[in-house]
Structures are given as structure tokens and as C-alpha cells.
Amino acid sequence: MAATGQVAGGLTEYDRQVLTAVNAGAASLSFVGSGFIVLCYVLFKELRKFSFKLVFYLALSDMLCSFFSMVGDPSRGFFCYSHGYSTHFFCVASFLWTTTIAFTLHRTVVRHKTDVEDMEAMFHLYVWGTSLVMTVVRSIGNNHSHLGTWCWSQSGRTGKAVHFITFYMPLWGAILYNGFTYFQVISMLKNARRMAVGMSDRAYQSDGRAEMKALNRWGYYPLILIGAWAFGTINRIHDFIEPGHKIFWLSLLDVGTSALMGLFNSIAYGLNSSVRRAIYERLDLFWPDRLQRWFPNSSRFRNQQQESELVALKIEDQH
């Protein structure tokens, strides 16, 4: 598609190049971050527990979503198709996997069920099946318009509405579900902790700060999806209300934050105490002198991480 000066959507050729570069750069960071979590799961056998297996599936979805975002070329038909279908499929799968993690935590901590590992097949059916249905529905009537970094951009209101229904509605449904679920989990654990502290001695109270830090971290998980997709949602709504009048800075924030979702997830979900401890143990095994020189408090750090990991277990034991 020839493009000089002002192009479709009110973006110049230079604007499109900037958006493409930002998308590629941010997606590359997400690819590296999520790929690192996938590599850790493959290399470290002690991480292959059910809870981290869900994080592995999340990271795998993020890695593939980032990969197809990088290889998608709007100027070539085949790569445009791969960009459109694949990124939509794996991005939907990514935020759906976050709901399975929230569900697992809620079912284990709040409902005291121990059958979550038996539900893995159901999780796969739910995530991959829903992602496939949303991608197929979105493809109906799609003409793969080539507009900058978006191969799926629609000029008609029907296409934009289908886009919103098949992506942003499930996305915000997942955000609301995660927020409500983590609120219940954190509230219950805080109440249980207050009861446990009242019944125990000061030795238990000395761990309170580390435990509260671990609990509060869960409260930030829903904010990841909000931060990654808030500007994209606003941009889609604006484009629906005022078609043909794209705002460059809003599009820039849209592309940049959404492409960083994989990096955000890999830091929040993936770089937990178990992963950090596994990395420290390998470094301590191969380069003990350098590790002590670079991180003089690494031994104390590992012990603290082990204690914080037992927060939920210790609280449950008080019931």
C-alpha cells in the first residue's frame, strides 16, 4: 500500500514507522522476559510444580504472542495473517491463564480444596478453546486492512464491534474476576494472620513484615492487565466514536504498553522466590566466590525467601 504524507487513520508514514519500531522493541523485551521463565521451567526440575506449571503456560502464551507481534509484517499478506490471527489467539490465552492462576489460589486458600491438579485438562480446554473461538469469530468478515502495526484494523463499525467483543470484553471480564478473587484471598489471609498473631508469640510476629509483603504482591496482579491494556481500550473506544481520526500519542501508548504485557507478567508471576532461589543456587554452585562478592547477603536472602514462601501454609495451619 503506497503511503506518503497523511495516510489512513490520520497517521503519517513516519508515525507508522515509529509505532512499528515501538511495537517491535517492546515485544522483544516481552519475548526475552517470558522466554526466560520458560527456560527456567525447563532447566530447573524443582520448579515443575502445578502452581508454577500454570505460570509456565502463561509465559509460553506471552512468548508466542510477542514472537508473532515481532514477525508480523503488514506489507505482506501471509505475515499479516500470521500477525493478526496468532497474536489475537495467544494474547487472549495469556490473560485467560491469569484467571486460572487466580482460580487455583482462591480454590486452595479460600475454599480449602486440594483437587486443583485434577483440573489441568479443564484449564487447557477453557483457555485454548476460548482463545480459538474468539479468534475464529473475529475473523468473520475481516479484510485484514494494512494500517501500520495493526493487520486487524477495521474500517467499518461492525468489524470494530466484533474486535471489542472478542478481545476487550473477555479481557476486562478477566480483570474484574482476578481483582475480586485476589481481594477475597488477601482479605481471608489477613484475617487469618491477625488471629494467628494473637494466638502466637513474638517469634511469629517477627515474620509479619515479610508475610505482608508476599500477600500485598498478589494485589498488584490485576493491575498488570489494566496497565497493559487501559490505553488500548481507550484507543479502541475513541476509534469507534471518531473513526478516521487516530491520536498518535494514544496509539503510541496503546502499542507500547500492550506489547510489554509479557514482560510485566514474567516479572510479577515468574520471578518469584522459587525462581530466584533456583538461580542463586546455580550461581552459588558454579561461581560461589563471585556470588558472595556480588551479593554478600545472598544466603540471608535465600532464607528469607524460603520463609515468605510458607506464609499461606503457616496461616492455614492456624485454623
Side-chain angles (χ1 to χ4, degrees):
M1 179 179 69
T4 58
Q6 202 76 8
V7 297
L11 299 176
T12 65
E13 177 66 21
Y14 176 76
D15 292 339
R16 294 173 56 192
Q17 293 176 356
V18 171
L19 293 175
T20 302
V22 169
N23 176 73
S28 300
L29 292 175
S30 291
F31 181 81
V32 172
S34 54
F36 176 76
I37 301 303
V38 170
L39 186 63
C40 287
Y41 180 83
V42 173
L43 294 179
F44 304 148
K45 293 182 179 180
E46 62 267 31
L47 296 179
R48 297 173 192 173
K49 302 174 183 177
F50 181 75
S51 58
F52 198 78
K53 184 183 293 187
L54 298 179
V55 176
F56 164 73
Y57 294 136
L58 169 62
L60 184 63
S61 299
D62 283 330
M63 185 179 71
L64 293 173
C65 178
S66 302
F67 172 77
F68 286 107
S69 293
M70 291 186 294
V71 302
D73 184 355
S75 65
R76 301 178 65 181
F78 173 78
F79 290 105
C80 185
Y81 294 149
S82 69
H83 177 280
Y85 286 107
S86 303
T87 53
H88 187 270
F89 178 86
F90 287 110
C91 283
V92 171
S94 173
F95 65 71
L96 290 181
W97 278 118
T98 67
T99 64
T100 67
I101 295 173
F103 174 84
T104 299
L105 189 61
H106 182 273
R107 189 169 180 83
T108 303
V109 176
V110 177
R111 301 187 62 186
H112 305 288
K113 300 291 185 179
T114 59
D115 59 347
V116 287
E117 294 191 30
D118 299 330
M119 306 177 73
E120 182 178 354
M122 186 182 300
F123 288 164
H124 282 286
L125 181 62
Y126 155 68
V127 173
W128 304 123
T130 303
S131 301
L132 180 61
V133 170
M134 293 298 101
T135 305
V136 171
V137 171
R138 188 182 176 187
S139 68
I140 298 175
N142 181 69
N143 59 3
H144 295 275
S145 299
H146 297 169
L147 178 59
T149 59
W150 303 284
C151 283
W152 288 81
S153 296
Q154 299 285 355
S155 56
R157 285 181 175 268
T158 301
K160 293 175 182 178
V162 171
H163 180 192
F164 202 89
I165 292 172
T166 58
F167 187 84
Y168 288 95
M169 285 184 63
L171 167 68
W172 284 97
I175 291 173
L176 292 175
Y177 174 79
N178 289 351
F180 178 75
T181 300
Y182 283 117
F183 174 78
Q184 283 192 319
V185 171
I186 293 172
S187 297
M188 179 175 179
L189 290 180
K190 283 184 176 180
N191 292 334
R193 179 183 171 274
R194 281 195 292 267
M195 294 176 59
V197 169
M199 298 169 59
S200 61
D201 55 17
R202 292 185 178 181
Y204 181 88
Q205 298 182 37
S206 64
D207 295 335
R209 185 173 300 178
E211 293 176 358
M212 290 308 300
K213 183 178 180 181
L215 295 180
N216 290 334
R217 183 182 183 185
W218 293 340
Y220 294 107
Y221 287 173
L223 298 180
I224 296 174
L225 290 177
I226 295 176
W229 295 107
F231 292 110
T233 304
I234 297 172
N235 200 20
R236 296 293 89 73
I237 295 174
H238 173 269
D239 187 47
F240 186 83
I241 297 174
E242 295 189 32
H245 181 65
K246 285 190 175 294
I247 302 175
F248 173 70
W249 65 265
L250 184 58
S251 299
L252 186 66
L253 291 172
D254 173 9
V255 172
T257 54
S258 60
L260 286 173
M261 180 180 66
L263 179 64
F264 296 154
N265 284 335
S266 64
I267 294 174
Y269 289 94
L271 289 180
N272 56 30
S273 58
S274 298
V275 174
R276 293 196 296 270
R277 187 169 63 252
I279 294 173
Y280 272 108
E281 288 175 353
R282 267 57 177 192
L283 291 176
D284 191 34
L285 180 63
F286 292 101
W287 299 293
D289 296 334
R290 292 185 180 181
L291 181 64
Q292 288 296 327
R293 186 165 59 251
W294 294 341
F295 305 101
N297 297 323
S298 60
S299 297
R300 186 178 66 181
F301 173 80
R302 287 198 298 270
N303 292 334
Q304 290 175 347
Q305 295 299 328
Q306 287 176 330
E307 291 175 359
S308 66
E309 251 190 356
L310 299 176
V311 172
L313 294 177
K314 291 199 296 183
I315 291 178
E316 281 193 66
D317 290 340
Q318 300 295 329
H319 285 266

